[in-house]
Amino acid sequence: MNRRAMIIHPDDNVANLIGPGAKDDIVECITEGTPKTESITLREDIPANHKFAARDVAAGETIVKYGLNIGRASCDIRQGSYVHVHNIESNRGRGDLKEST
Amino acid sequence: MRDYFLGYPRPDGQVGIRNHVLMLSGTLYANPTCERVAMMVQNTIPIVHPLGRCQIAPDLARTFKTLVGHGRNPNAGAVIVVDHFKEEGCTADDIAQEISVSGKPVAVVNIRREGGALAALQKAARLAVEFNRNIGTQQREKTPLTKLIYGFNCGTSDVTSGLAHNRCVGWVCDRVIEAGGRALGAETTEMMGGEDLIRARAKSPEIAEKLLGFIKRMEKSILECGVDMRGTQPTGDNIAGGLSTIEEKSIGAMQKWGTKPIVGVVEYAEAIGPEPGLWLMDSPGHGGESITGIAAAGAQVMSFSTGGGHTINHPLMITMRLTGNRESWAQMKDTMEVDVSDMFEGTSLDEAGERLLDEVLDICDGKMTKAEALREFNGFAINRCGPSI
């Protein structure tokens, strides 16, 4: 099934699905403020409006949305994979980490 | 776009969008008197809370400042302060004295001096009847937006927040500011991760440093607890809605700021200055506490934007809710006023923003919010900086 998603900033490595998505859906990704569109195939089911990787992201790499740092990858993430608390984590308010930023 | 609203001018130059009699509780032990009078007498609004006793000095000062700010809020045409304690610096007489600077009618009902709860109830109810009769002849006047403080806040955010409804709020902030008005937001927790945006948006480096200092203070207080903030921020609702980190939530929340420079930054519940523009206040992400701080600063109207839907409604600062999540609108439309979910179907920001602005100005003119009609008073909560002692 064809789906749509928004990439908010050209530097972003995650996209926001519009509505829900299922594995193997081909998603048309529109980068806001640009004429750029690209098709990405979802690797798994994704809840309505949630995020997926717009490109391959390595463990520890910064997750970029709105063109800004929203956390880091806690494992390797392949393009089209669901992105959420299971594979990215915050850098802020982390009293559990010895060297918090 | 229209550049005025119809409001009630006050002696101190502020302009209200409602003309309520306010029952203001000095401590939690005066709450029943305030609530009973508000039930008995129409157009009478209760402000009740669990504080005012056994607080460390800075905390009691914060309670005092918040209560006084509500008494001075121009949506109150007259105020009755109820209490019976002698908490130094925060008695009913002290609170009433500070409110009376505004020039509006203020009275004190001291439960002990009146001879107990029943006599106090009788006196307070009689005063509320008299105040309502007296202020009832005041008329709304055409008022420029220079007199408007547009409060904004968000809650139960999800991934639609930063893309739809928060952007609409930002659009309205921009229009209010262009018309010479002030827009006031808060929520320090939801600025964590947005430091670069703050540096770019602040009118001066001093303003940026003050705001960044609030964020550092907030983060330090979390780190000192020795816990991972995750699990509390983002909240369970945020995570279910697709927000993964506080940084993502923050940057989405900051879409409410529109595009104008930050002209000033204030402490919790502190009155803002006269300069038109975008103002920001220190507050936690807790919705009730943050909108209460904004109301204490004198905002007449609040846009509360929400992804998951929300029932929040400040008793005195008129609170309208909006969402860009179609499912939330369907589930929660009894307590929300504006739906902008069509932004995901191609409706432009200009079109959706104008829909919000029209509703905000109509509400300023007297159109009831759904929560006002239902008398749902649930959004008053005073922020604390210390323990009970």
Side-chain angles (χ1 to χ4, degrees), chain B residues 246-269:
Chain B
I246 187 63
E247 297 95 313
E248 182 183 16
K249 179 177 175 177
S250 293
I251 297 160
M254 290 161 78
Q255 305 298 310
K256 303 194 301 297
W257 295 5
T259 63
K260 307 293 183 193
I262 303 163
V263 298
V265 169
V266 291
E267 292 280 353
Y268 183 78

Side-chain angles (χ1 to χ4, degrees), chain B residues 150 165-175 255-259 356:
Chain B
Y150 173 61
H165 40 275
N166 286 352
R167 289 179 173 181
C168 292
V169 171
W171 189 95
V172 171
C173 285
D174 283 355
R175 300 295 88 74
Q255 305 298 310
K256 303 194 301 297
W257 295 5
T259 63
L356 174 61

Side-chain angles (χ1 to χ4, degrees), chain B residues 215-225:
Chain B
I215 301 170
K216 280 185 200 135
R217 187 168 66 184
M218 174 71 75
E219 192 163 16
K220 185 164 172 275
S221 72
I222 297 161
L223 298 178
E224 279 170 356
C225 295

Side-chain angles (χ1 to χ4, degrees), chain B residues 50-63 217 221 224-225 268 282 284 289 382-389:
Chain B
L51 302 179
R53 292 286 285 165
C54 302
Q55 296 190 269
I56 59 169
D59 228 356
L60 189 64
R62 179 169 285 199
T63 298
R217 187 168 66 184
S221 72
E224 279 170 356
C225 295
Y268 183 78
D282 181 39
E289 291 186 9
I382 303 172
N383 175 246
R384 305 189 65 173
C385 49
S388 296
I389 49 175

